[in-house]
């Protein structure tokens, strides 16, 4: 270390000592009447600053100032124009006879606390202290994941947030008209029903901001098919039987003609499925098609069925033409199926 280095160190040391002495006085440790009468301590209003912003610490000088310093707790940030703090966010703004101002940029939670400006003048020492309060916007840090549950399960949603002041947390079901809500980190949904499936929103709110996140709950349940409506179709016309099911997850469908399962592409038939609806389409209704059909909807939680009648021409058409059509049609059918039947 150079001679100058030693001198600077010595100077800093003595300055620190004198400032420490100065600070001890206001806390009233050495009950010296002289100290009491000769020091002057002021507490300024709290400064509230948001995380990430810049705070200015301003202190009036006046008189003939010999030493002046800004301290963070007991460590010196600035002694006059000498920066003691190694923190690059701390810098000097103004130092003149009127004021001594430093600033702290990009303020964080750890910067919260008491800051003291200690001023030693030719007349009397004095300190000015200010409490810096740091506010942090809410942030949801721990949230339940999206859920898939069976109807009747007990569900608990969780949402935890950080922030200052501490955020208040609430839950609500937003996707349906349900009035389900909770003013807590936890939302209990005992024995969940299908009506309570949907998007749940967690809000974390404090004076500064709001953070919102959502969780989707899928509730699985076994299919229910709507009751089949019997359908009357004239011979040679297109006929459609519709089977609609309510189920989560989406159901699979099976069709039966009386007790025999029928498949897509079977003898002028097509089974068309769209989401929760299955259609049995007859391109050209023949006499043999008039029968009792059963639709079964299934998913992993169960099944449900309904039956329909596809009924005939007698109710729709008059005798002669109809029966001729029937005969002709039966002949054609036989012609088509005879080779097949003979194979067995
Ligand atoms: C300043 O903040 C501190 C700590 O939160 C509090 O105890 C004190 O009452 C506040 N003072 C003023 C003047 O608001
Ligand atoms: C103030 O002191 C606290 C505690 O030592 C520290 O965490 C914080 O970074 C300091 N802030 C500044 C601006 O020096
Ligand atoms: C989130 O909450 C769970 C359950 O309470 C806990 O085990 C976990 O440690 C939390 N995670 C964080 C990041 O706080
Ligand atoms: C749901 O909670 C109730 C009451 O605590 C309990 O009786 C029931 O067995 C639970 N149901 C399931 C599926 O865990
Ligand atoms: C329906 O089938 C009958 C008998 O096989 C046939 O005569 C008629 O042309 C067909 N109609 C249509 C629209 O394909
Ligand atoms: C149709 O078939 C179902 C199932 O086999 C049966 O329950 C129902 O009674 C039948 N309907 C008629 C009208 O025969
Ligand atoms: C239709 O449902 C009834 C009662 O729900 C059941 O007894 C029957 O076996 C079902 N039929 C089929 C084909 O699944």
């Amino acid at each position: 270390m150079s001679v100058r280095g030693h001198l600077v160190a010595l100077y800093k040391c003595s300055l620190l000592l004198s400032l420490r002495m100065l600070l001890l006085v206001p806390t009233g440790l050495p009950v010296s009447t002289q100290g009491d009468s000769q020091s002057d301590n002021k507490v300024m209003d709290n400064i509230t600053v948001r995380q990430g912003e810049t705070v200015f610490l301003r202190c009036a000088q006046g008189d003939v100032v010999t030493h002046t310093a800004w301290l963070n707790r007991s460590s010196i940030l600035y002694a006059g124009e000498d920066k003691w703090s190694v923190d690059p966010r701390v810098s000097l703004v103004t130092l003149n006879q009127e004021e001594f101002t430093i600033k702290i940029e990009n303020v964080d939670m750890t910067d919260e606390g008491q800051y003291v400006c200690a001023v030693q003048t030719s007349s009397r020492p004095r300190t000015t202290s200010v409490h810096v309060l740091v506010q942090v916007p809410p942030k949801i840090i721990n949230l339940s994941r999206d859920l898939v549950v069976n109807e009747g399960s007990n569900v608990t949603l969780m949402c935890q947030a950080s922030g200052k002041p501490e955020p208040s947390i609430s839950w609500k079901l937003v996707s349906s008209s349900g009035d389900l809500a909770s003013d807590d980190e936890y939302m209990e949904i005992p024995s969940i029903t299908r009506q309570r499936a949907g998007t749940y929103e967690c809000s974390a709110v404090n004076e500064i901001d709001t953070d919102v996140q959502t969780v989707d709950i899928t509730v699985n349940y076994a299919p229910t098919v709507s009751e089949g409506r019997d359908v009357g179709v004239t011979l040679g016309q297109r006929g459609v039987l519709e089977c609609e099911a309510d189920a989560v997850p989406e159901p699979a469908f099976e069709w039966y003609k009386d007790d025999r399962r029928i498949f897509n592409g079977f003898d002028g038939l097509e089974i068309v499925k769209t989401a929760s609806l299955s259609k049995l389409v007859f391109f050209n209704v023949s006499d043999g098609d008039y029968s009792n059909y059963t639709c079964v909807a299934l998913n992993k939680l169960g099944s449900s069925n309904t039956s329909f009648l596809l009924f005939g021409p007698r109710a729709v058409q008059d005798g002669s033409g109809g029966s001729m059509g029937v005969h002709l049609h039966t002949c054609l059918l036989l012609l088509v199926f005879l080779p097949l039947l003979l194979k067995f």
Side-chain angles (χ1 to χ4, degrees):
M1 212 185 254
S2 69
V3 174
R4 190 178 177 276
H6 280 293
L7 282 176
V8 169
L10 193 63
Y11 164 74
K12 286 195 172 181
C13 186
S14 63
L15 179 59
L16 189 58
L17 274 176
S18 69
L19 286 166
R20 284 271 159 79
M21 290 299 289
L22 180 61
L23 285 171
L24 284 179
V25 176
T27 57
L29 276 178
V31 190
S32 120
T33 45
Q34 198 192 15
D36 277 345
S37 64
Q38 288 201 339
S39 68
D40 184 3
N41 311 308
K42 209 171 107 197
V43 177
M44 293 202 295
D45 284 344
N46 288 341
I47 300 179
T48 300
V49 61
R50 290 183 187 184
Q51 186 184 42
E53 291 184 346
T54 297
V55 63
F56 290 85
L57 303 176
R58 189 172 284 114
C59 143
Q61 300 284 85
D63 298 346
V64 181
V65 173
T66 55
H67 295 305
T68 183
W70 266 111
L71 296 92
N72 170 11
R73 296 176 185 87
S74 63
S75 56
I76 297 174
L77 299 177
Y78 264 91
E81 60 186 9
D82 285 338
K83 182 174 175 184
W84 285 40
S85 167
V86 292
D87 194 329
R89 300 173 303 133
V90 180
S91 58
L92 181 63
V93 179
T94 312
L95 176 60
N96 58 31
Q97 273 165 345
E98 283 84 48
E99 65 168 277
F100 178 25
T101 303
I102 63 168
K103 68 177 176 186
I104 306 165
E105 288 167 289
N106 192 17
V107 167
D108 206 351
M109 293 272 277
T110 54
D111 296 324
E112 185 164 291
Q114 191 89 355
Y115 289 78
V116 176
C117 173
V119 178
Q120 207 160 32
T121 64
S122 49
S123 54
R124 57 198 332 205
R126 90 189 124 74
T127 65
T128 306
S129 59
V130 58
H131 199 97
V132 172
L133 295 169
V134 180
Q135 292 188 325
V136 183
K139 186 165 189 295
I140 293 170
I141 50 169
N142 204 349
L143 184 71
S144 297
R145 291 160 175 267
D146 289 352
L147 282 176
V148 178
V149 294
N150 293 343
E151 199 166 32
S153 305
N154 295 329
V155 174
T156 302
L157 296 178
M158 191 226 2
C159 177
Q160 291 172 335
S162 64
K164 231 173 129 293
E166 192 167 321
S168 58
I169 295 179
S170 61
W171 276 105
K172 69 169 189 264
L173 172 58
V174 287
S175 60
S176 84
S177 56
D179 53 354
L180 210 51
S182 154
D183 286 327
D184 191 53
E185 286 184 359
Y186 294 91
M187 167 117 155
E188 312 268 355
I189 313 167
S191 191
I192 195 165
T193 59
R194 60 193 72 179
Q195 290 78 20
R196 290 180 166 188
T199 301
Y200 287 76
E201 191 179 85
C202 169
S203 308
V205 183
N206 70 10
E207 291 150 36
I208 308 160
D209 209 349
T210 300
D211 190 17
V212 175
Q213 301 274 336
T214 59
V215 173
D216 287 327
I217 302 186
T218 305
V219 177
N220 287 339
Y221 52 93
T224 325
V225 291
S226 356
E227 207 179 319
R229 274 195 306 116
D230 295 345
V231 176
V233 182
T234 321
L235 271 178
Q237 296 295 300
R238 194 181 132 93
V240 180
L241 296 178
E242 288 194 359
C243 178
E244 190 162 19
D246 179 23
V248 176
E250 231 173 61
F253 290 92
E254 288 175 0
W255 285 92
Y256 294 84
K257 178 178 182 181
D258 299 317
D259 290 329
R260 280 178 52 228
R261 174 100 187 256
I262 45 183
F263 295 95
N264 205 3
F266 191 87
D267 187 22
L269 283 173
E270 195 183 10
I271 298 170
V272 185
K273 182 179 185 282
T274 50
S276 59
L277 181 71
S278 179
K279 292 181 187 179
L280 182 61
V281 182
F282 303 84
F283 295 118
N284 183 352
V285 169
S286 69
D287 204 29
D289 290 333
Y290 297 124
S291 186
N292 182 0
Y293 292 87
T294 300
C295 160
V296 183
L298 338 82
N299 70 9
K300 59 184 176 183
L301 293 180
S303 71
S304 163
N305 66 64
T306 188
S307 295
F308 312 73
L309 277 183
L310 185 70
F311 60 84
R314 274 144 224 122
V316 191
Q317 239 179 351
D318 68 69
S320 59
S323 57
M324 240 179 73
V326 170
H327 288 303
L328 187 64
H329 193 80
T330 315
C331 285
L332 276 174
L333 259 184
L334 274 176
L335 277 178
V336 171
F337 278 96
L338 208 55
L340 276 175
L341 288 172
L342 286 176
K343 277 194 183 163
F344 288 101

